[in-house]
Amino acid sequence: MGELMPLPATTTGVDLNAAFPPVALMERLKDYGQEDALAHWPQLSPRERQLLLHDLQSLDLPRIDRIIRCSLTSQGLPIAAIEPVPQSNVSTLEERTAEERERWWKMGLKAISQGKLAVLLLAGGQGTRLGSSDPKGCFNIGLPSGKSLFQIQAERILCVQKLASQDINEDSTGCLPIHWYIMTSPFTNEATRKYFETHKYFGLSADQITFFQQGTIPCVSKDGRFIMETPVKVAKAPDGNGGVYS
């Protein structure tokens, strides 16, 4: 399995040659019904046991258990009805006067030029349903221009920056850049970063883009048990769009 790494702090003091897993960890896993994650302990080498302990001890078991219980108890329940907002709360640009629309347009461009606008892109998914393991934003969706979704988004940001700078009658240096936050996942982070570097950030400056990774959550069976990717690793998947909040 490659060069032997030093023991992580969380496994220091654990006898990796013992026939049975650490009692404290086994009891903790039992509390959450996940003791099966240690089922292969007798067959593992000391190095493999180290990796398994490190993986299990990195999990926030109370939080994961709450999520699993909430998911299991919600199955079969009727879906809450989604009602439209009251018509009195709805308006369209067509219903507004030309003066109002112009005023809102100016207000928006002014806020943009002052750096009060940021863009958040949730880009943690792979294009597996499109037949590609690349991040979806890199995928060629068949446009005549051949542009990727990432490029289209970047060019829109550049366009808005230009509109804002023109509105204040200054060049682009007088307009604060729009910061772009791009949420990746452990499965897309490296490829996304390299894609942007290779394409020189599509005309944007590197320092106006922040890449950050969403979290992962263990994959579970229908009865809420951890699914093991390997005997030493719990299978995990990105924690969904809601992961942006944490």
Side-chain angles (χ1 to χ4, degrees), residues 104-118 160 164 167-168 175-178:
W104 290 349
W105 176 263
K106 294 287 186 181
M107 287 172 60
L109 292 180
K110 182 179 180 181
I112 292 167
S113 68
Q114 294 174 341
K116 296 181 179 179
L117 171 71
V160 173
D167 189 68
I168 58 175
C175 178
L176 292 178
I178 297 171

Side-chain angles (χ1 to χ4, degrees), residues 79-95:
I79 300 174
I82 300 176
E83 299 291 340
V85 297
Q87 196 63 32
S88 59
N89 292 349
V90 178
S91 180
T92 65
L93 283 178
E94 288 75 19
E95 295 172 339

Side-chain angles (χ1 to χ4, degrees), residues 24-161:
L25 179 60
M26 175 60 83
E27 291 301 319
R28 181 167 171 77
L29 288 171
K30 279 185 177 180
D31 289 341
Y32 298 103
Q34 302 295 351
E35 64 274 16
D36 289 351
L38 292 171
H40 296 283
W41 181 273
Q43 292 80 42
L44 301 179
S45 68
R47 172 60 174 162
E48 291 172 328
R49 291 172 178 178
Q50 172 195 20
L51 294 172
L52 176 59
L53 290 177
H54 191 226
D55 189 48
L56 292 173
Q57 290 169 333
S58 69
L59 300 176
D60 185 345
L61 290 175
R63 174 178 177 270
I64 293 168
D65 186 65
R66 289 194 302 271
I67 294 171
I68 292 173
R69 289 179 182 275
C70 181
S71 176
L72 292 178
T73 56
S74 67
Q75 293 183 16
L77 295 178
I79 300 174
I82 300 176
E83 299 291 340
V85 297
Q87 196 63 32
S88 59
N89 292 349
V90 178
S91 180
T92 65
L93 283 178
E94 288 75 19
E95 295 172 339
R96 308 266 57 93
T97 65
E99 291 75 16
E100 286 177 316
R101 281 182 277 174
E102 179 68 14
R103 179 166 56 85
W104 290 349
W105 176 263
K106 294 287 186 181
M107 287 172 60
L109 292 180
K110 182 179 180 181
I112 292 167
S113 68
Q114 294 174 341
K116 296 181 179 179
L117 171 71
V119 175
L120 172 62
L121 179 66
L122 309 185
Q126 296 169 288
T128 48
R129 283 175 290 182
L130 302 172
S132 171
S133 61
D134 292 333
K136 290 179 183 176
C138 305
F139 197 76
N140 184 340
I141 59 175
L143 294 175
S145 63
K147 294 178 181 178
S148 67
L149 295 176
F150 280 142
Q151 182 173 353
I152 292 171
Q153 294 287 340
E155 291 179 352
R156 286 178 173 175
I157 291 173
L158 283 169
C159 180
V160 173
Q161 284 183 179

